[in-house]
Each structure stands twice: as structure tokens, then as C-alpha cells.
Amino acid sequence: MKILGLTGSIGMGKSTAAAMLRRMGVPVHDADATVHRLLGPGGAAVAAVEAAFPGVTAHGAIDRAELGRQVFGDPARLRRLERIVHPLVRRAETRFLAIWRRRRARLVVLDIPLLYETHGEERCDKVAVVTCPAFLQAQRVLRRPGQSPARLAAIRAQQMPDSAKRRRADIIIPTGTGRGPAWRKLRALVKEMRGA
């Protein structure tokens, strides 16, 4: 079974690329969705996160806005949160891989926003980086609720620069010129990695 790592900075179009891969019949493990489940009502990380950051729980789930206020811009607190959440995400990923190995899938995708930052590329046969021009990234992100230019700048500062990700990529998926070019590149990559 081949493993494709899918990554890209905030607002680059990674979720769209992951949806395209799903439409092509490729199983995708979404690290962000796993985190949402872990922090959601009854999630496996709720008690540990509340213990580390008192006051962030509401109605049995983590209030992500409050958690963000407590950890955003504080590297030590962010590392503490990552030490709780990352092992749980890896456990879910391991289960995902085991299931699809048993089902004899030829290709699966690990959709991980911080793939390079967490050395996740070491678990992948190839890495696809989703990218678009910085002005388009900013337009996309600033349309989201609760975002601001200052918040975008802080997020960019925490992530590996797009240029560095592109240099390390096995394949670059452009999302700045419509969906067609991204679809064609992904379809060719899937065909190649499946050995078809």
C-alpha cells in the first residue's frame, strides 16, 4: 500500500484537494477532522486538555475559541497542547492505515496540515503540496469567520513557509487557477501511485 502525504498552508486549497482525492476513490485520513472529534463532545482529548488549560470546556467539548485564546502566540502552551493531541491523532492514523491495509488498498492519503513540521513525510511514499499565490491565500482566509490580517500573520509565522514546502514536495498541486489543473495533476498522481 502506498501512502501519499497531502499538505499545504492555511487557505491553500488542501481541503478541496482532499475532496477531489475522495471523489477518485482514494481513502483519506484527515488529521484536522480527527482533532475536531478529539476535542468535540465526549472526545478522547477533552479531559486532558481541560486539565492542562482550565476553563476551556463547555457542554462536554473544548471551546476552541477559548483554547485558542489560551495557546495562540504562546509556544510553550502550544507545545503542551500538541503533546496531548498529537499522540491521539497518530493513534487514529495508525488504525486508519491498518484498516486500509487489510482491505488491500493500493493507495491512501494522509491529509496533515503540519506534515513537514511534525516530520510526517517520513511515513509517506510521496508528498503533494497544495499551493496558491499569497494574495489569494489571504483572500480565502480572511473570508473565514474570526480571521483577521494579524491572525493570518501569526498562523503563517507558525507554519513552514509555502516556498520551503514547495521545495520539499514530490509534486506541487496548484489551486490558484481554478480546479481543473489541480484535478488533472491529482488524477495523474493517483494513477501513477496506484500503478495503473
Side-chain angles (χ1 to χ4, degrees), residues 86-105:
H86 285 182
L88 296 171
V89 174
R90 279 297 300 279
R91 207 170 301 152
E93 177 190 299
T94 300
R95 283 193 303 271
F96 167 87
L97 292 172
I99 288 165
W100 289 103
R101 211 169 263 122
R102 280 196 303 274
R103 294 180 184 177
R104 295 189 177 357

Side-chain angles (χ1 to χ4, degrees), residues 72 141-142 146-157:
F72 203 68
V141 173
L142 295 175
Q147 291 293 347
S148 67
R151 189 162 171 80
L152 173 58
I155 291 169
R156 280 176 168 162

Side-chain angles (χ1 to χ4, degrees), residues 52-53 70-72 74-82:
F53 305 98
Q70 289 202 27
V71 303
F72 203 68
D74 186 331
R77 284 175 157 256
L78 183 59
R79 279 192 301 276
R80 187 182 323 151
L81 177 62
E82 289 171 345

Side-chain angles (χ1 to χ4, degrees), residues 21 23 36 38 45 63 66 73 76-77 87-88 97 113 121 126 137 140-141 156 179-180 185:
L21 288 161
R23 282 201 298 277
H36 280 275
L38 290 168
D63 178 338
E66 179 56 33
R77 284 175 157 256
L88 296 171
L97 292 172
E121 75 277 12
K126 287 193 178 212
Q137 176 197 30
R140 290 172 177 172
V141 173
R156 280 176 168 162
R179 293 177 186 226
K185 276 210 138 172

Side-chain angles (χ1 to χ4, degrees), residues 6-192:
L6 179 68
T7 196
S9 299
I10 186 171
M12 291 294 187
K14 188 175 56 56
S15 297
T16 300
M20 289 177 179
L21 288 161
R22 284 189 186 95
R23 282 201 298 277
M24 293 176 204
V26 182
V28 177
H29 182 264
D30 182 336
D32 267 354
T34 300
V35 171
H36 280 275
R37 281 192 302 276
L38 290 168
L39 299 179
V46 172
V49 171
E50 173 63 29
F53 305 98
V56 297
T57 304
H59 311 293
I62 297 301
D63 178 338
R64 293 173 67 92
E66 179 56 33
L67 179 62
R69 280 190 283 279
Q70 289 202 27
V71 303
F72 203 68
D74 186 331
R77 284 175 157 256
L78 183 59
R79 279 192 301 276
R80 187 182 323 151
L81 177 62
E82 289 171 345
R83 281 194 298 272
I84 295 167
V85 174
H86 285 182
L88 296 171
V89 174
R90 279 297 300 279
R91 207 170 301 152
E93 177 190 299
T94 300
R95 283 193 303 271
F96 167 87
L97 292 172
I99 288 165
W100 289 103
R101 211 169 263 122
R102 280 196 303 274
R103 294 180 184 177
R104 295 189 177 357
R106 287 187 285 171
L107 174 65
V108 297
V109 171
L110 299 181
D111 173 355
I112 306 174
L114 300 176
L115 182 82
Y116 288 123
E117 292 87 341
T118 59
H119 307 289
E121 75 277 12
E122 296 163 7
R123 304 191 304 277
C124 302
D125 295 290
K126 287 193 178 212
V127 174
V129 170
V130 180
T131 187
C132 70
F135 78 89
L136 185 55
Q137 176 197 30
Q139 284 177 2
R140 290 172 177 172
V141 173
L142 295 175
R143 280 197 299 257
R144 298 177 184 178
Q147 291 293 347
S148 67
R151 189 162 171 80
L152 173 58
I155 291 169
R156 280 176 168 162
Q158 290 177 344
Q159 295 182 337
M160 179 183 288
D162 179 55
S163 58
K165 289 179 184 177
R166 284 187 276 117
R167 279 195 301 275
R168 296 176 67 174
D170 294 299
I171 186 162
I172 295 169
I173 308 298
T175 66
T177 54
R179 293 177 186 226
W183 177 269
R184 287 189 291 276
K185 276 210 138 172
L186 287 169
R187 190 172 56 193
L189 178 60
V190 166
K191 187 175 178 183
E192 174 201 326

